[in-house]
Amino acid sequence: VQLQASGGGLVQAGGSLRLSCAASGSIFSINAVGWYRQAPGKQRELVAAITSGGSPNYADSVKGRFTISRDNTKSTVYLQMNSLKPEDTAVYYCNAEVKPYGIPLYMNYWGKGTLVTVSS
């Protein structure tokens, strides 16, 4: 199982980006998926998460600006980021609870990060 995060880049403050996290491999089902970020010199923090049923949860710092969604037919989770601020600059990682075929439990996977840089 692999998670591929993409969509990062350089954007001016007030702009938008959409991140994608695509899961691939021998996947039976995907449970909760989360987007985390880590800024230089800071700890990794949860930005947004979505349950298998589509219920979202957001960090207070991004509420009203970010939207997490999922397309189960594509095994992909998106993070739409609007009204970006310089303090949103970080490497963004996706994390998913995945049950691979042949394994009777959910396992935790991380994707490689994608860098988001917001200029002032």
Side-chain angles (χ1 to χ4, degrees):
V1 175
Q2 290 186 329
L3 299 181
Q4 180 66 51
S6 61
L10 173 64
V11 64
Q12 288 188 330
S16 299
L17 284 173
R18 189 177 81 154
L19 306 183
S20 299
C21 175
S24 62
S26 184
I27 298 170
F28 178 77
S29 67
I30 302 174
N31 197 12
V33 179
W35 280 100
Y36 292 73
R37 67 186 180 188
Q38 187 166 19
K42 294 188 176 181
Q43 289 189 331
R44 191 173 297 189
E45 62 174 355
L46 177 64
V47 175
I50 188 166
T51 67
S52 57
S55 295
N57 187 36
Y58 300 96
D60 288 343
S61 59
V62 306
K63 280 182 181 176
R65 300 188 297 122
F66 291 10
T67 302
I68 190 169
S69 62
R70 64 192 292 163
D71 184 340
N72 292 329
T73 65
K74 297 180 179 179
S75 298
T76 300
V77 170
Y78 304 97
L79 185 68
Q80 177 67 43
M81 306 186 296
N82 299 328
S83 302
L84 283 161
K85 304 175 180 179
E87 51 263 44
D88 294 318
T89 295
V91 178
Y92 285 70
Y93 300 89
C94 61
N95 173 272
E97 298 171 348
V98 179
K99 183 183 290 185
Y101 276 105
I103 297 180
L105 48 82
Y106 283 94
M107 301 179 69
N108 196 265
Y109 293 89
W110 287 93
K112 293 182 179 179
T114 184
L115 177 62
V116 172
T117 304
V118 184
S119 63
S120 57

